[in-house]
């Protein structure tokens, strides 16, 4: 369907507008409604619910003033009883939704990570318009709209979590204001506020909360400590039961802020791969890596990711080889910022850490450390390159997992094992350090029909060995600060790169996702 609409069809659409200029796709709407003889196409309440749900989620995420306004208008027009105004605006909003979705491959990594939808969206495609018309003709509009969701059960589960939070939002949620470190047994200034907060967060049952209040508990007892540990686990915090600044900040995170984080992460689902046939996923703010094979999680591991000043990028690649005992060609930025300042202060630093100085990367000559004129070279004009020899102290450890990409980012082992015990593990210069690197190598080699034992020699000696995998493994880094776990509980993570922050909005409604919405 692509033709110039008739004047009568254009007039009908303009007359159907609740206000002048409300619709954005006048010509497309005129063609669509002329095809349907100016009859309503939104017969199925489920299709209305599904459209409004997806528009509302974008609105709640704080991504676009246009979608915030559409969420309000859809709700108001639906309750107005004016079928023409609602029907036309719903179709207009559906076209806007398809344009938004079509723009995600190009703009999503900008929109969902701290910026705003300010780019001009691509016009509705003929394929999408014809699909809409075909679905409307067969009374299958609900199916058409439903298929615009991210293809993962997480979307539904997170929408249900938002509904629960919106129910709670109507009730008073006390702040827990007591400062300092609160350890087990400490006297509480306002025990009831903590009890209520833990109950609202779903880590303390209503029965237990009532019992504690009736007993007028005033100390930080074992029951409350257990609830706080469960709360800490759901927020990626150290599960020690001690209430410090981080735990207190999450306890006092507003309901609206949690809803916005959930909605934003629901939209991020549109970016991430859904297949699990053979893939490595690294969730940066969770500091975790998963290896999926044949839709089965075969390995998970803690990881260290880039510090905020040297962020691990969002990228996708394919892991094509495992390197035993890799040498490390030091990137120029790391050489200048991290290594050379130390080498200038300690003449033995390069030797102590097994660095070889090369005249260049291409057939470079080895430059003796004693030949470097430290009095006349600076960190910026250092004319050589550094390579660290294989070994236990090599920055890449004993295993490197090659993932060709434009950012020169890869997964690798590390000698700094103590970092994996940290709650916050953003310490690298961008690459991803894997705690279970040896296990990952074993699994990858065995799945390629190779025996890990055949490479015992390389584990025991410092000779570098590249092993090409027969089947490459997809690798994706993602950034998900909220999700629903297998037990149906919402998990949140700290926004290490400050990607969750959104521009301030003039509209704030943000329409409720209907609690009884059957599309959930």
């Amino acid at each position: 369907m692509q033709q110039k609409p008739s004047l009568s069809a254009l007039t009908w659409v303009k007359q159907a507008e609740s206000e002048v200029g409300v619709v954005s796709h006048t010509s497309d709407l005129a063609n669509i409604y002329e095809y349907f003889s100016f009859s309503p196409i939104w017969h199925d309440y489920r299709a209305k619910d599904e459209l409004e749900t997806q528009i509302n989620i974008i609105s709640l995420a704080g991504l676009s003033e246009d979608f915030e306004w559409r969420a309000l208008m859809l709700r108001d027009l639906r309750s107005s009883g004016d079928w023409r105004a609602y029907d036309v605006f719903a179709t207009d909003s559906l076209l806007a939704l398809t344009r938004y979705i079509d723009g995600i491959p190009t703009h999503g990594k900008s929109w969902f990570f701290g910026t705003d939808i300010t780019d001009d969206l691509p016009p509705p495609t003929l394929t999408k318009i014809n699909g809409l018309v075909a679905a409307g003709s067969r009374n299958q509009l609900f199916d058409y709209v439903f298929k615009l969701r991210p293809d993962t059960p997480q979307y539904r589960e997170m929408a249900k979590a938002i509904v629960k939070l919106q129910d709670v939002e109507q009730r008073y949620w006390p702040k827990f204001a007591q400062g300092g470190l609160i350890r087990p047994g400490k006297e509480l200034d306002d025990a009831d506020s903590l009890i209520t907060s833990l109950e609202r967060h779903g880590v303390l049952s209503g029965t237990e909360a009532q019992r504690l209040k009736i007993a007028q508990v005033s100390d930080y007892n074992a029951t409350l400590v257990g609830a706080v540990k469960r709360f800490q686990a759901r927020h990626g915090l150290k599960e020690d039961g001690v209430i410090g600044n981080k735990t207190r900040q999450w306890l006092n995170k507003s309901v609206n802020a949690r809803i916005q984080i959930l909605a934003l992460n629901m939209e991020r689902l549109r970016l991430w791969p859904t297949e699990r046939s053979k893939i490595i996923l690294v969730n940066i703010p969770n500091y975790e890596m998963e290896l999926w094979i044949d839709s089965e999680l075969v390995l998970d591991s803690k990881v260290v990711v880039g510090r905020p000043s040297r962020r691990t990028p969002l990228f996708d690649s394919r892991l094509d080889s495992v390197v035993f005992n890799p040498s490390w060609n030091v990137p120029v930025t790391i050489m200048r910022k991290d290594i050379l300042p130390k080498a200038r202060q300690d003449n033995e630093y390069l030797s102590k850490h097994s660095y070889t100085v090369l005249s260049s990367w291409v057939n470079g000559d080895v430059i003796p450390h004693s030949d470097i004129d430290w009095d006349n070279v600076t960190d910026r004009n250092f004319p050589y390159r550094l390579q660290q020899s294989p070994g236990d102290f090599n920055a890449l450890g004993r295993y490197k997992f090659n993932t060709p990409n434009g950012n020169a980012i890869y997964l690798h082992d590390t000698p700094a094992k103590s970092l994996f015990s940290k709650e916050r593990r953003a310490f690298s210069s961008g690459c991803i350090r894997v705690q279970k690197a040896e296990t990952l190598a074993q699994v990858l080699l065995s799945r390629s029909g190779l025996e890990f034992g055949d490479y015992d020699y390389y584990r025991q000696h410092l000779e570098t060995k590249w092993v090409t995998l027969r089947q490459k493994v997809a690798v994706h880094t993602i950034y998900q600060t909220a999700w629903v776990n297998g037990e149906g509980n919402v998990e949140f993570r700290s926004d290490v790169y400050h990607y969750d922050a959104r521009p301030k909005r003039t509209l704030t409604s943000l329409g409720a996702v209907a609690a009884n919405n059957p599309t959930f």
Side-chain angles (χ1 to χ4, degrees):
M1 173 182 292
Q2 190 172 27
Q3 61 188 36
K4 187 176 181 180
S6 68
L7 180 60
S8 60
L10 288 169
T11 301
W12 186 89
V13 169
K14 291 178 180 179
Q15 289 176 342
E17 287 183 292
S18 59
E19 298 175 23
V20 175
V22 163
V23 300
S24 303
H25 311 90
T26 305
S27 293
D28 292 320
L29 292 171
N31 280 328
I32 291 170
Y33 280 94
E34 189 164 30
Y35 176 85
F36 285 104
S37 300
F38 307 106
S39 299
I41 61 177
W42 293 87
H43 306 287
D44 189 342
Y45 73 91
R46 298 178 308 155
K48 297 178 182 179
D49 288 343
E50 181 59 30
L51 174 69
E52 292 176 25
T53 292
Q54 293 192 44
I55 297 291
N56 269 321
I57 295 303
I58 301 169
S59 168
L60 290 166
L63 292 168
S64 162
E65 287 185 317
D66 179 63
F67 280 94
E68 292 175 14
W69 165 74
R70 287 184 182 279
L72 288 168
M73 287 291 293
L74 282 168
R75 188 176 70 232
D76 291 346
L77 289 174
R78 190 170 180 179
S79 62
S80 73
D82 185 342
W83 76 261
R84 286 202 312 172
Y86 178 87
D87 214 85
V88 168
F89 189 72
T91 306
D92 188 68
S93 295
L94 178 54
L95 292 175
L97 177 61
T98 64
R99 293 175 64 197
Y100 160 78
I101 293 171
D102 287 343
I104 288 173
T106 302
H107 302 292
K109 288 184 179 179
S110 173
W111 292 344
F112 302 155
F113 301 96
T115 63
D116 201 356
I117 299 181
T118 55
D119 308 279
D120 289 334
L121 297 175
T125 65
L126 183 59
T127 300
K128 291 286 173 60
I129 293 174
N130 287 341
L132 188 161
V133 170
S137 299
R138 295 191 293 266
N139 199 25
Q140 294 176 344
L141 201 54
F142 165 70
D143 295 329
Y144 177 86
V145 181
F146 189 83
K147 287 178 181 177
L148 297 177
R149 284 186 173 201
D151 185 21
T152 168
Q154 271 291 315
Y155 189 87
R156 176 178 181 271
E157 296 304 313
M158 293 169 76
K160 288 164 63 177
I162 287 178
V163 169
K164 290 181 181 178
L165 283 171
Q166 288 178 324
D167 288 342
V168 171
E169 185 183 7
Q170 309 306 316
R171 293 178 282 167
Y172 175 68
W173 196 315
K175 299 287 186 182
F176 182 69
Q178 186 171 345
L181 289 179
I182 302 173
R183 303 182 185 278
K186 186 176 179 67
E187 193 73 14
L188 296 172
D189 295 342
D190 185 0
D192 281 5
S193 290
L194 178 60
I195 293 168
T196 300
S197 181
L198 294 171
E199 179 189 4
R200 298 277 167 82
H201 283 298
V203 292
L204 187 67
S205 71
T207 302
E208 281 290 343
Q210 187 68 13
R211 183 185 65 79
L212 292 170
K213 289 179 180 178
I214 291 174
Q216 297 184 334
V217 168
S218 60
D219 65 309
Y220 186 37
N221 66 15
T223 301
L224 293 175
V225 171
V228 167
K229 286 182 177 180
R230 290 188 289 276
F231 178 86
Q232 290 171 329
R234 294 182 190 177
H235 292 78
L237 304 172
K238 185 177 181 181
E239 299 169 47
D240 57 6
V242 176
I243 302 176
N245 285 336
K246 292 180 181 178
T247 300
R248 189 179 297 106
Q249 286 169 7
W250 274 112
L251 282 170
N252 291 332
K253 181 79 70 175
S254 72
V255 177
N256 280 336
R258 288 175 179 272
I259 289 172
Q260 184 267 324
I261 293 170
L262 271 168
L264 177 59
N265 280 278
M266 287 176 70
E267 290 308 300
R268 287 173 178 164
L269 294 173
R270 298 184 186 275
L271 274 177
W272 314 139
T274 57
E275 63 81 24
R276 296 291 183 267
S277 58
K278 185 173 288 188
I279 190 170
I280 289 174
L281 290 172
V282 177
N283 186 3
I284 293 169
N286 193 33
Y287 310 113
E288 292 282 342
M289 180 212 81
E290 296 179 346
L291 171 61
W292 290 79
I293 297 178
D294 297 331
S295 300
E296 178 185 356
L297 179 62
V298 298
L299 176 68
D300 61 352
S301 174
K302 293 180 179 180
V303 297
V304 170
V305 300
R307 68 196 77 161
S309 61
R310 301 182 192 177
R311 300 173 180 181
T312 297
L314 298 173
F315 75 97
D316 56 270
S317 180
R318 300 187 79 79
L319 196 161
D320 61 9
S321 56
V322 178
V323 186
F324 288 78
N325 303 315
S327 58
W328 182 39
N329 294 335
V330 182
V332 172
T333 299
I334 296 176
M335 179 183 73
R336 289 174 176 170
K337 291 186 176 181
D338 299 339
I339 297 175
L340 292 181
K342 296 174 183 176
R344 293 172 63 81
Q345 295 178 358
D346 180 359
N347 291 335
E348 301 298 320
Y349 181 85
L350 296 179
S351 298
K352 289 176 185 176
H353 294 85
S354 302
Y355 287 109
T356 299
V357 182
L358 301 173
S359 59
S360 73
W361 289 134
V362 181
N363 300 320
D365 296 325
V366 175
I367 308 298
H369 295 176
S370 58
D371 288 357
I372 301 174
D373 184 4
W374 291 108
D375 292 331
N376 292 308
V377 298
T378 67
D379 301 341
R380 297 295 302 176
N381 70 8
F382 189 76
Y384 310 118
R385 296 293 175 259
L386 296 182
Q387 184 180 75
Q388 191 176 37
S389 302
D392 289 332
F393 294 101
N394 184 282
L396 306 186
R398 301 299 292 267
Y399 308 96
K400 174 186 173 183
F401 305 93
N402 201 40
T403 55
N405 62 86
N407 299 290
I409 298 297
Y410 45 83
L411 286 71
H412 64 86
D413 186 20
T414 177
K417 308 295 186 186
S418 62
L419 295 180
F420 294 113
S421 64
K422 303 289 186 181
E423 171 190 316
R424 178 185 177 278
R425 295 190 292 278
F427 299 106
S428 83
S429 293
C431 285
I432 301 159
R433 307 175 191 176
V434 182
Q435 183 181 37
K436 298 179 182 178
E438 182 170 327
T439 304
L440 178 60
Q442 288 177 323
V443 173
L444 292 175
L445 293 177
S446 65
R447 296 283 177 161
S448 285
L450 303 169
E451 292 293 333
F452 190 72
D454 295 341
Y455 300 95
D456 279 343
Y457 173 85
Y458 299 103
R459 286 191 293 168
Q460 297 168 16
H461 300 79
L462 297 184
E463 185 176 341
T464 301
K465 173 68 174 178
W466 285 68
V467 182
T468 301
L469 301 179
R470 294 177 185 174
Q471 292 185 324
K472 297 179 181 180
V473 180
V475 176
H476 288 257
T477 56
I478 68 174
Y479 196 93
Q480 198 75 8
T481 53
W483 64 90
V484 177
N485 64 25
E487 289 73 46
N489 299 314
V490 180
E491 301 237 358
F492 290 95
R493 293 295 181 269
S494 295
D495 180 22
V496 60
Y497 293 163
H498 305 291
Y499 286 151
D500 288 353
R502 305 306 313 165
K504 290 187 187 248
R505 294 289 178 218
T506 55
L507 292 173
T508 56
S509 66
L510 299 174
V513 178
N516 296 319
N517 191 331
T519 65
F520 289 175

